[in-house]
Amino acid sequence: MAKKRTFECTACGARAEQWAGRCPGCGGWGCIEELPASMAGRGPAGAAGRLGPVPLLSISADASAARVSTGMEGIDRVLGGGLVPGSVALLAGEPGIGKSTLLLQMVANLATAGSPCLVVSGEESHAQVAARARRLGVAAEAITFAPGRDLAAVLQSASEARPFLLAVDSIQTIRDADAAQIPGGVSQVRTCTDALVGLAKGQGIAVLLTGHVTKDGDLAGPRALEHAVDVVLTFEGDARSGLRVLAGGKNRFGSEGETAWFEMEPSGLREIDPTDLLLSGERVAGAATALPLAGRRALAVEVQALVGATEGPPRRQATGLDLRRFQLVAAVLDRAVGLGLGRAELFGASGGGVRIEDPACDLAVAAALASAATRVPPPPGAAFVGEVALTGLVRPAPGMAQRLAAARAAGCSTVFAPRGETNVLEGVRIVPVGQVAEALSWARRPAGTPSERRSA
Ligand code: TYD
Ligand code: MG
């Protein structure tokens, strides 16, 4: 015979044999919790009675022991060692940054590894989510789907299916039909979050919510619910380029400030190890360190160039770099420094092939090209920041504080940066640059080097 379960409203003390998202007694959302068997026999005591003292160590399972891997090492690390059953995490980011993609990849990993997952979406239809799963090539067999616009229906689906994880995409498209407010408004977002937190705590189902934040920092919805959830993850990047960074903010189950880096590819998000982006690891000709920005963080990435002689029409190819900008920087450099690149074959690449389209990487591209042409490596521990204008002027770059921090983290001690930069960081020397040539004084071709003979 199945064990009888007892649930009680923490607000009014009403009891029931079934869990519900909303208390039939007082109408409150997310306040129904399962009573431990030892308490179910006692009379209803309301909230006060349930909060009586119990032996401290009567809690059996250590939360960390029960953590479940998301199948993505970086996400596990940011979470503090995996997903905690019954915890509520918010994945916040700008529209288009890749939240739904990350959610689906995570859910597929969990489901494949034996933790059933229910995806509810108010953002996309069943067909759209299925099409995305196919496009991503994720193992979707063990994932179930339900529409995610109506709070009561979502709570019901979840309490019937009892998955390990309920993934809600997004908290702004779900609504409590009984409340008058519009979906996405702060009070709707709060009500729905409270109800989902109640589901997580009452049923031991982990909940992952996505939430949109806007560029100008207007975080009406997600900010308002940060206090209600256990973990806040932010997902950021420049939607034009491929770099993405997942960062842990508030975390009841782990340390704050951990990050995981990804690249958005046609086949979905690929986890990257930042140390793989600095390929050479030492000074070589044709390689320079760039500091592209992704959201509110920056990362050190090596850019490489190869310059070759040719009789025919010169080829120009770039991997990970924007080809038009690459050619433009080469043309400016030719003019400003006279490297004779005009008739040469030029190849450019980024470390790990990550797509970087941050214009402030121009100066690093210029340094890599100058280094390749002269066969002189850039100075030890140097990184380069600045957008290069057609006139050769090096324009200021946003996010300099983050770029300097990324430089220091990658072991760079010198940053060639646009003149007028006011940010400073201990341990990092800034070399102010007005014109592109000023950043390349080290790239003087010694007389009689092989490259000179070859191009003669
Ligand atoms: P999405 O996950 O829908 O973002 P969000 O849920 O945060 O709004 O991803 C949006 C962008 O990502 C979209 O512009 C297309 C791009 N994308 C890829 O580059 N590769 C992919 O495999 C997928 C699914 C999306
Ligand atoms: Mg989405």
Side-chain angles (χ1 to χ4, degrees), residues 249-438:
K250 168 186 171 175
N251 189 347
R252 278 191 193 134
F253 307 114
S255 53
E256 295 181 9
E258 280 284 352
T259 53
W261 290 84
F262 297 86
E263 161 144 65
M264 179 61 99
E265 294 182 338
S267 57
L269 289 155
R270 178 174 63 90
E271 209 172 331
I272 50 180
D273 177 349
T275 57
D276 291 346
L277 308 182
L278 291 167
L279 300 178
S280 309
E282 56 190 59
R283 294 172 65 211
V284 292
T289 302
L291 301 168
L293 205 60
R296 286 171 300 171
R297 279 161 218 270
L299 192 62
V301 179
E302 185 176 285
V303 294
Q304 303 163 345
L306 184 68
V307 177
T310 178
E311 301 294 311
R315 279 179 298 168
R316 303 302 163 77
Q317 277 177 22
T319 309
L321 307 170
D322 176 36
L323 183 62
R324 293 210 332 237
R325 284 208 83 80
F326 178 69
Q327 289 178 305
L328 193 136
V329 170
V332 172
L333 203 57
D334 218 12
R335 185 84 179 254
V337 193
L339 288 173
L341 301 176
R343 295 218 34 82
E345 296 208 300
L346 303 179
F347 302 92
S350 63
V354 292
R355 244 176 334 119
I356 48 176
E357 307 207 346
D358 180 349
C361 292
D362 285 354
L363 195 62
V365 171
L369 277 164
S371 172
T374 60
R375 308 256 173 124
V376 180
F384 299 84
V385 178
E387 180 178 348
V388 175
L390 286 178
T391 55
L393 183 83
V394 177
R395 288 211 190 101
M400 206 60 200
Q402 293 92 320
R403 297 184 204 261
L404 293 176
R408 189 166 73 179
C412 295
S413 52
T414 306
V415 175
F416 291 81
R419 192 178 296 288
E421 186 48 54
T422 52
N423 276 286
V424 289
L425 184 67
E426 203 189 320
V428 180
R429 185 173 67 98
I430 296 182
V431 181
V433 176
Q435 287 284 323
V436 65
E438 295 167 35

Side-chain angles (χ1 to χ4, degrees), residues 73-82 231-235 245-251 253-262 271 274 297:
E73 201 193 308
I75 301 182
D76 286 351
R77 185 163 29 79
V78 171
L79 286 169
V231 180
V232 178
L233 306 172
T234 57
F235 201 40
V245 58
L246 182 76
K250 168 186 171 175
N251 189 347
F253 307 114
S255 53
E256 295 181 9
E258 280 284 352
T259 53
W261 290 84
F262 297 86
E271 209 172 331
R297 279 161 218 270

Side-chain angles (χ1 to χ4, degrees), residues 115-175:
S115 301
C117 295
L118 170 63
V119 172
V120 302
S121 179
E123 296 272 335
E124 290 160 353
S125 68
H126 186 177
Q128 284 171 311
V129 177
R132 186 196 290 266
R134 278 190 207 104
R135 199 169 58 243
L136 291 171
V138 298
E141 293 75 20
I143 306 173
T144 49
F145 175 87
R149 284 191 174 271
D150 180 54
L151 176 63
V154 167
L155 294 172
Q156 194 182 342
S157 311
S159 60
E160 277 167 16
R162 306 213 62 178
F164 165 74
L165 174 76
L166 167 69
V168 179
D169 193 14
S170 67
I171 191 61
Q172 279 117 335
T173 50
I174 190 168
R175 67 184 296 242

